[in-house]
Amino acid sequence: MGVEQKLGDMGVVTTTLENVVNWSRTNAMWPMLFGLACCAIEMMAAQASNYDMSRFGMELMRASPRQSDLMIVAGRVSKKMGPVLRRLYDQMPEPKWVIAMGDCASCGGVFNNYAIFQGVDEVVPVDVYVAGCPPRPEALIHGVLTLYEKVNKEKFKDLAEKYK
Amino acid sequence: MDTKLEPIVKIIQEKFSATFEEFRDEVHLFLKPEQIVEALTLLRDEHKFELLSALTAVDYYPQVSPRFHVVYQLTSLAQNLSLQIRVPVNGTSPKVPTATGLYGVANWRERELLDMFGIEFEGHPDPRRILMPEGTEGHPLRKDFPLGYEEPQFTFNFDEIGLQKPHPKE
Amino acid sequence: MTQIEEVSIEQFKHLVSARALTGETMLLNMGPQHPSTHGVLRLLLELDGEIIVNCIPDIGYLHTGIEKNMEAKTYQKAEVMTDRLDYMNPMGNNLAYVMAVEKLVDLDVPVRAQGLRVILVELQRIASHLVWLGSVGLDLAAMSMFLYCFRERELILDIFELVSGQRMMTTYFRPGGVWRDVPVEFEKAVRDFLKIFPARIDEYEKLLTKNPLFLDRMLGLGILDSATALSYGVTGPTLRASGVNWDLRKARPYSGYEQYDFNVPVLTEGDTYARYLVHIQEFRESLKIIEQALNKLPFGPVHSENRKFVPPPRSEIGVSMESLIHHFKLWTEGFPAPKASVYSAVESPRGELGLLLEGDGGPKPLRVHLRTPSFDNLSVLSHIVNGHLVADLVAILASIDIVLGDIDR
Ligand code: SF4
């Protein structure tokens, strides 16, 4: 019972371009491999056999910012790393999204001190925050799905406005 | 004190007129900065303390002289012994001769102390900061360096703090 | 704050060879964001063609200020920081910390708690080695290793979740014992794991140990001799692969390790492949320890009865005024520790994890220094990679088993 069977003889589907574009964006979103600290291990676990994030079109972790759409900041961002993070973000092609994974990336977590940015939102704009220290792989996957919801609601009009 | 350690401590004590303290079977020897290289050489070559397990410092601020203790934790694999050497140094321009010639590990550990405490090691081959970015002011692990606490954002003060927080441009 | 500073070659002049200044050799920056640096490590490489002439590690991209932050917390609260230090080995870090505190305030630990500690720490060692093995595989393009290793790691994390409610950052060990007794399912879960895992090790070995592609990329690389290793403070599997028989579990038994019968794998080659073999053999030794510890595990209390340091159980608070006061005191003020310093070390999966803990008579430590094994292990890197190809650097770096959280603290 797939879409082929239902629409097989018609061969035509009508929808809006916006829907198709957003649908394709959510189904092949390539995250950047940006493991910083402990949360990165849970991110790896989310990629590995038990949780298998590739079910959501994310099996490809790209090491290069130029090839990725999504930056999952997994871990704490130190004052030395912040500028590097920003540069990598600037190198990513539009449209791009950021998930702050874990308490440290969201708000500084347990490390309220001189060395750590109190939330990566001081450096790059964040779309989805995932709570937990570290968040379970399920939580990360939930965060990703939340992002998909957001992406699915995006309007060309707004994007055009933004990139003007 | 361990019976094997006793003669070694005695030798150091006599040679450098050092004092020692004991707490929970650990021996802390106190030496002067100018004696440290000689003492380490002696311990490494004659008494087989081949591993410098830890090299760190303690800050006794607001006490000024001595303000810091530089701590050398030595381990002897062959005899299964440990010995701690402490070098008290002053708060104003603290200086200790480097041990890089004796233990390779001292290179990075001394850079760390320079970075974190501002203790200078004379003759160090590569005196740069190691952990903090270049251009940081101050030495974080000193007691007079603030922890850098930022007020956490809760529902009741969300907007207030949001105003002060730096926000990135898109 | 978000500007990257421009650095000139002047800063590194004394570290690179003269040929780099004339442009004869190339300076290449690897990291801090790079798939095979195991975290945010930056390596500045001086290359002659594809041969590495000099390698200058630049660390600190994950500097968290853990030491300073611990000094601002009471002894109990500071423990949560240790989990996040070497994040492959939270249980081991907790053990190092609670042992230092126990030594400082002279606190006894019941036998059952010691046995539980040993079991969990050894499970953690296996989990840590599994991540190591998986990422070595990944670095050498043996992707399936990663999938297999993480499959088994989940079994261990399930056990941790069972005992503490958290998968990774457990903070399960507390000064004077453990948080609370393990649930009844614990024994079965561990026994199941003991049954499953030996066959899985064989599976890994089948995939890698004799695999010609793997051997080609591992044999004879990054040779580290024992004298250099000791001078650079290298410990753990890396040191044992260089022919030095030094394991704190054997040399200075703690937490009841003296009762268990196990071997310390030592190899003399000192190359990448030897390090791999040591890791694999440590899997089997850890299993042995777990099995013995589980068989010997006595029943009884899991934390010390010394109410000055260990909070009373809930049930007692309702009926005893004294317990209520202790509870209140411990969680608001903490317990005071003497004005003295101790150094206590444990064998973490990466080497000697030591803690220098100094009290000032109050409830907060005056100084916490974490002697982390990866820091020293990494400092030897620039000595063993020279003359190798860039592609081999990845294998060598992977084999010395570093964790950046452990290095930068
Ligand atoms: S949120 Fe917790 S697990 Fe994640 S990086 Fe921070 S300390 Fe580590």
Side-chain angles (χ1 to χ4, degrees):
Chain A
M1 267 292 277
V3 73
E4 300 86 352
Q5 266 172 321
K6 282 212 159 162
L7 308 170
D9 11 327
M10 292 189 288
V12 176
V13 181
T14 51
T15 178
T16 61
L17 183 61
E18 227 163 44
N19 271 349
V20 177
V21 169
N22 284 344
W23 170 81
S24 60
R25 274 183 185 154
T26 52
N27 278 283
M29 196 175 265
W30 289 3
M32 183 159 81
L33 199 118
F34 203 79
L36 289 168
C38 350
C39 284
I41 310 295
E42 286 298 67
M43 186 167 73
M44 279 159 81
Q47 295 278 328
S49 19
N50 277 39
Y51 294 96
D52 192 13
M53 242 188 353
S54 56
R55 290 175 294 161
F56 306 98
M58 299 185 85
E59 65 265 61
L60 270 180
M61 284 294 222
R62 303 314 296 180
S64 158
R66 304 270 183 215
Q67 300 167 340
S68 41
D69 315 297
L70 167 65
M71 178 191 252
I72 303 181
V73 184
R76 40 194 190 245
V77 184
S78 70
K79 294 270 150 84
K80 197 169 176 178
M81 194 64 195
V84 182
L85 185 109
R86 179 72 211 192
R87 175 168 289 188
L88 288 168
Y89 177 79
D90 289 341
Q91 286 175 346
M92 280 163 64
E94 297 280 358
K96 53 194 171 188
W97 296 276
V98 177
I99 291 183
M101 178 187 182
D103 288 351
C104 288
S106 305
C107 65
V110 289
F111 303 109
N112 200 338
N113 62 23
Y114 65 94
I116 295 291
F117 276 107
Q118 298 302 302
V120 69
D121 48 6
E122 294 185 5
V123 188
V124 292
V126 177
D127 293 285
V128 175
Y129 299 87
V130 182
C133 182
R136 300 179 60 94
E138 291 100 322
L140 176 62
I141 292 173
H142 180 251
V144 169
L145 294 181
T146 314
L147 180 72
Y148 285 179
E149 265 170 42
K150 182 177 174 178
V151 173
N152 272 330
K153 284 194 202 117
E154 259 169 21
K155 296 262 179 288
F156 280 179
K157 213 168 74 214
D158 303 343
L159 289 177
E161 193 79 343
K162 190 171 147 195
Y163 301 136
K164 210 158 23 186
Chain B
M1 203 192 298
D2 197 297
T3 43
K4 280 185 287 180
L5 195 58
E6 240 177 66
I8 301 172
V9 171
K10 197 156 263 161
I11 291 171
I12 300 284
Q13 215 186 338
E14 274 163 18
K15 187 142 190 237
F16 300 101
S17 59
T19 52
F20 77 92
E21 270 176 17
E22 220 186 324
F23 182 71
R24 305 231 197 283
D25 285 342
E26 280 182 34
V27 183
H28 303 171
L29 271 168
F30 288 85
L31 292 180
K32 293 201 186 63
E34 54 276 13
Q35 298 168 333
I36 184 68
V37 174
E38 201 185 331
L40 286 178
T41 320
L42 182 78
L43 284 169
R44 186 190 70 164
D45 296 343
E46 312 262 305
H47 302 290
K48 301 210 190 70
F49 281 88
E50 56 281 76
L51 190 66
L52 180 60
S53 282
L55 171 49
T56 181
V58 186
D59 183 3
Y60 293 100
Y61 184 80
Q63 191 178 314
V64 181
S65 90
R67 173 166 172 181
F68 301 105
H69 280 183
V70 180
V71 181
Y72 297 78
Q73 176 79 27
L74 295 165
T75 309
S76 164
L77 272 54
Q79 313 172 69
N80 198 359
L81 290 177
S82 279
L83 181 63
Q84 197 176 91
I85 297 184
R86 290 185 161 229
V87 179
V89 284
N90 277 346
T92 43
S93 75
K95 279 202 183 72
V96 182
T98 177
T100 20
L102 297 164
Y103 297 100
V105 56
N107 188 333
W108 277 27
R109 289 282 176 199
E110 284 174 359
R111 275 178 69 190
E112 190 194 343
L113 288 188
L114 173 70
D115 188 353
M116 290 293 156
F117 286 95
I119 298 174
E120 262 180 61
F121 287 87
E122 290 164 306
H124 192 281
D126 181 22
R128 284 181 298 140
R129 279 187 182 264
I130 189 167
L131 291 175
M132 298 301 287
E134 285 292 337
T136 318
E137 276 184 24
H139 304 284
L141 279 183
R142 286 193 173 190
K143 287 282 176 198
D144 48 358
F145 190 93
L147 179 63
Y149 181 82
E150 259 181 54
E151 189 90 4
Q153 224 169 358
F154 292 111
T155 330
F156 74 92
N157 59 3
F158 191 86
D159 299 331
E160 200 182 311
I161 292 184
L163 288 177
Q164 302 158 6
K165 244 177 123 123
H167 284 288
K169 57 178 195 321
E170 284 284 312
Chain C
M1 209 49 225
T2 49
Q3 282 303 310
I4 296 188
E5 262 181 78
E6 298 290 329
V7 280
S8 73
I9 187 147
E10 288 300 309
Q11 248 182 317
F12 302 101
K13 225 161 127 184
H14 56 295
L15 297 170
V16 295
S17 71
R19 289 194 295 159
L21 302 176
T22 60
E24 208 177 315
T25 53
M26 184 174 74
L27 287 178
L28 181 78
N29 188 37
M30 181 169 164
Q33 200 270 331
H34 189 275
S36 65
T37 51
H38 293 238
V40 279
L41 164 70
R42 179 168 153 249
L43 297 170
L44 186 65
L45 302 175
E46 186 190 344
L47 300 176
D48 183 3
E50 264 203 74
I51 311 279
I52 298 169
V53 184
N54 263 312
C55 164
I56 307 157
D58 181 11
I59 59 177
Y61 287 96
L62 196 59
H63 177 58
T64 320
I66 287 183
E67 287 176 7
K68 180 121 184 153
N69 225 342
M70 281 171 85
E71 285 161 20
K73 290 184 186 293
T74 60
Y75 286 99
Q76 292 122 318
K77 290 179 190 167
E79 194 188 340
V80 293
M81 299 271 153
T82 57
D83 290 273
R84 285 135 182 104
L85 168 72
D86 170 358
Y87 38 80
M88 307 288 209
N89 177 34
M91 288 277 188
N93 300 342
N94 286 170
L95 182 65
Y97 179 74
V98 295
M99 273 177 49
V101 175
E102 281 154 9
K103 192 169 171 189
L104 186 65
V105 299
D106 201 11
L107 195 59
D108 58 308
V109 186
V111 197
R112 182 173 170 83
Q114 292 195 354
L116 285 175
R117 284 178 179 185
V118 169
I119 295 173
L120 290 167
V121 163
E122 290 305 319
L123 282 172
Q124 184 78 70
R125 190 182 310 275
I126 294 177
S128 165
H129 282 4
L130 278 172
V131 177
W132 174 82
L133 190 61
S135 44
V136 167
L138 208 55
D139 284 348
L140 301 183
M143 172 88 186
S144 46
M145 262 338 273
F146 168 73
L147 297 175
Y148 290 133
C149 289
F150 270 71
R151 180 184 63 187
E152 270 73 76
R153 183 170 175 269
E154 290 295 328
L155 298 175
I156 297 177
L157 292 192
D158 286 347
I159 296 177
F160 289 169
E161 204 179 342
L162 194 67
V163 300
S164 76
Q166 246 275 34
R167 281 156 58 88
M168 275 171 75
M169 307 305 171
T170 50
T171 321
Y172 180 63
F173 305 156
R174 301 288 163 88
V178 297
W179 173 52
R180 57 172 68 160
D181 208 346
V182 290
V184 277
E185 301 90 350
F186 173 74
E187 184 169 348
K188 180 167 178 302
V190 180
R191 291 231 187 264
D192 282 351
F193 178 76
L194 288 177
K195 225 177 282 157
I196 298 171
F197 197 58
R200 300 282 164 90
I201 307 175
D202 295 337
E203 203 177 312
Y204 308 149
E205 289 226 71
K206 236 181 259 165
L207 272 167
L208 291 181
T209 307
K210 293 268 161 54
N211 182 340
L213 288 176
F214 186 70
L215 286 178
D216 265 2
R217 298 220 39 197
M218 295 292 260
L219 265 180
L221 288 184
I223 294 177
L224 176 63
D225 62 276
S226 59
T228 318
L230 282 174
S231 158
Y232 277 87
V234 174
T235 43
T238 316
L239 180 66
R240 294 195 281 275
S242 297
V244 182
N245 187 349
W246 180 250
D247 187 326
L248 289 171
R249 290 173 295 170
K250 269 270 192 258
R252 296 173 186 174
Y254 51 87
S255 201
Y257 267 111
E258 63 277 3
Q259 316 158 36
Y260 312 123
D261 169 37
F262 65 101
N263 302 325
V264 179
V266 180
L267 292 177
T268 48
E269 287 84 358
D271 64 347
T272 318
Y273 188 62
R275 279 169 228 146
Y276 159 78
L277 288 179
V278 167
H279 276 94
I280 288 282
Q281 287 173 24
E282 283 193 0
F283 277 141
R284 299 188 203 278
E285 299 305 325
S286 290
L287 283 181
K288 265 196 227 166
I289 300 174
I290 296 171
E291 184 153 22
Q292 293 169 46
L294 200 59
N295 290 340
K296 276 192 190 160
L297 195 65
F299 286 101
V302 290
H303 31 240
S304 131
E305 289 301 316
N306 193 339
R307 291 275 173 268
K308 290 275 175 277
F309 301 106
V310 182
R314 272 259 154 230
S315 56
E316 234 175 68
I317 295 175
V319 290
S320 150
M321 188 64 201
E322 207 181 336
S323 293
L324 185 65
I325 295 172
H326 281 313
H327 174 85
F328 189 68
K329 269 274 216 204
L330 278 174
W331 291 117
T332 52
E333 198 183 289
F335 52 78
K339 208 172 161 149
S341 109
V342 291
Y343 178 84
S344 108
V346 301
E347 185 76 21
S348 94
R350 271 156 277 283
E352 175 181 341
L353 174 62
L355 236 115
L356 182 104
L357 191 63
E358 181 150 346
D360 61 351
K364 290 178 184 173
L366 173 74
R367 174 88 174 105
V368 186
H369 172 69
L370 299 151
R371 186 265 182 221
T372 46
S374 305
F375 186 91
D376 300 334
N377 290 5
L378 181 68
S379 71
V380 85
L381 180 75
S382 37
H383 292 263
I384 55 178
V385 294
N386 292 355
H388 288 296
L389 298 176
V390 183
D392 293 339
L393 168 72
V394 174
I396 297 169
L397 185 64
S399 77
I400 57 173
D401 193 6
I402 52 163
V403 170
L404 261 293
D406 204 21
I407 294 171
D408 294 344
R409 304 185 299 276

